[in-house]
Amino acid sequence: MSHGLDGGGREPPPDKIDEPPCGKLVHIPLAGTSLKEIERQAIIEALRMSDWVQKGAAELLSISPRVINYKMKILGIGRFLEQRQKTSDS
């Protein structure tokens, strides 16, 4: 069974949505969080998993390198990487 919209463009009922094959993909705190923050954390985790190679992270997320570059800029992840490099150079 696929995730997301069914063939008619409607969301499947909650009991028809399968668990992702690897279990929980995102931790959402009880207090809630923004989708922007979830996206930011997903990109950072994909970068960690790909040894900080943007192309590899993009492949893990099934997006193009151009899209990950854009998302990194708008989500402020470039600044995060600069800080990471400064601390590793010390």
Side-chain angles (χ1 to χ4, degrees), residues 21-40:
C22 61
K24 261 188 188 174
L25 296 176
V26 177
H27 173 73
I28 301 174
L30 290 176
T33 190
S34 69
L35 185 57
K36 185 177 179 178
E37 183 57 27
I38 291 171
E39 189 174 34
R40 185 176 188 280

Side-chain angles (χ1 to χ4, degrees), residues 36-78:
K36 185 177 179 178
E37 183 57 27
I38 291 171
E39 189 174 34
R40 185 176 188 280
Q41 293 304 319
I43 291 171
I44 291 170
E45 182 61 24
L47 285 164
R48 283 187 185 122
M49 291 173 65
S50 65
D51 203 23
W52 304 97
V53 176
Q54 287 183 32
K55 183 176 187 239
E59 289 172 2
L60 286 171
L61 296 170
S62 299
I63 60 177
S64 72
R66 185 174 179 172
V67 169
I68 200 167
N69 188 293
Y70 170 75
K71 295 283 188 180
M72 287 174 66
K73 286 180 185 173
I74 65 168
L75 297 170
I77 297 172

